[in-house]
Amino acid sequence: MDDKIIISGLNLELTDALKSYVKEKAGKLFEHNDRIIRANFELEFLPTKDPAHSFVAKATLEIPGPNVILSIASDDLYKSIDELMDKLVRQIRRAHRLEKEKRNHPQEIEIGDDIPKTK
């Protein structure tokens, strides 16, 4: 599973504690969906005038179908990571629920009369 998780940092140094924290939290994502191909996490420090949005955590989950891309900004990096993981879990559950709903309730297709029939 460690080869499926990519962690990078912009404008900050990634410590071993930070890497292990992200890997621990990301492990829960793989429990919810075993079809995740790759999880890319980007942790960033933005030296802005507003300290409430100085730490940004971004995630890209590569899954079959459209990728899940999210970003969270806050005043604490660990808080950003926690909120990001919560949102990712909600997105994965929602995608799974919609896929299951679509599979269990197929839609009827109406074919118009103006389509020529083949012999």
Side-chain angles (χ1 to χ4, degrees):
M1 179 179 66
D2 287 341
D3 59 334
K4 292 184 176 187
I5 300 173
I6 301 168
I7 305 169
S8 59
L10 282 114
N11 298 331
L12 63 91
E13 185 177 335
L14 292 177
T15 62
D16 291 335
L18 196 56
K19 288 179 186 178
S20 65
Y21 187 75
V22 171
K23 287 183 182 181
E24 175 189 329
K25 293 286 186 175
K28 295 178 183 177
L29 297 175
F30 289 92
E31 292 174 7
H32 290 288
N33 189 347
D34 57 347
R35 298 184 334 164
I36 295 174
I37 300 167
R38 189 175 303 115
N40 188 5
F41 296 97
E42 189 175 294
L43 308 175
E44 184 175 2
F45 173 71
L46 298 174
T48 61
K49 292 182 181 180
D50 186 15
H53 302 290
S54 57
F55 290 100
V56 179
K58 299 177 184 177
T60 304
L61 289 183
E62 296 177 20
I63 56 174
N67 293 344
V68 177
I69 302 170
L70 290 173
S71 176
I72 298 289
S74 73
D75 60 342
D76 182 32
L77 186 58
Y78 287 95
K79 181 179 173 183
S80 296
I81 293 169
D82 288 339
E83 289 178 11
L84 179 71
M85 295 301 173
D86 290 342
K87 270 190 149 181
L88 285 171
V89 167
R90 283 196 306 266
Q91 287 289 326
I92 289 173
R93 285 182 179 171
R94 180 178 183 272
H96 180 70
R97 180 179 48 82
L98 291 176
E99 182 180 306
K100 191 175 177 182
E101 184 72 23
K102 185 177 180 181
R103 184 176 60 235
N104 290 340
H105 301 287
Q107 301 292 323
E108 293 184 18
I109 300 173
E110 291 185 23
I111 300 176
D113 295 332
D114 57 343
I115 297 177
K117 306 229 185 243
T118 59
K119 293 183 181 183

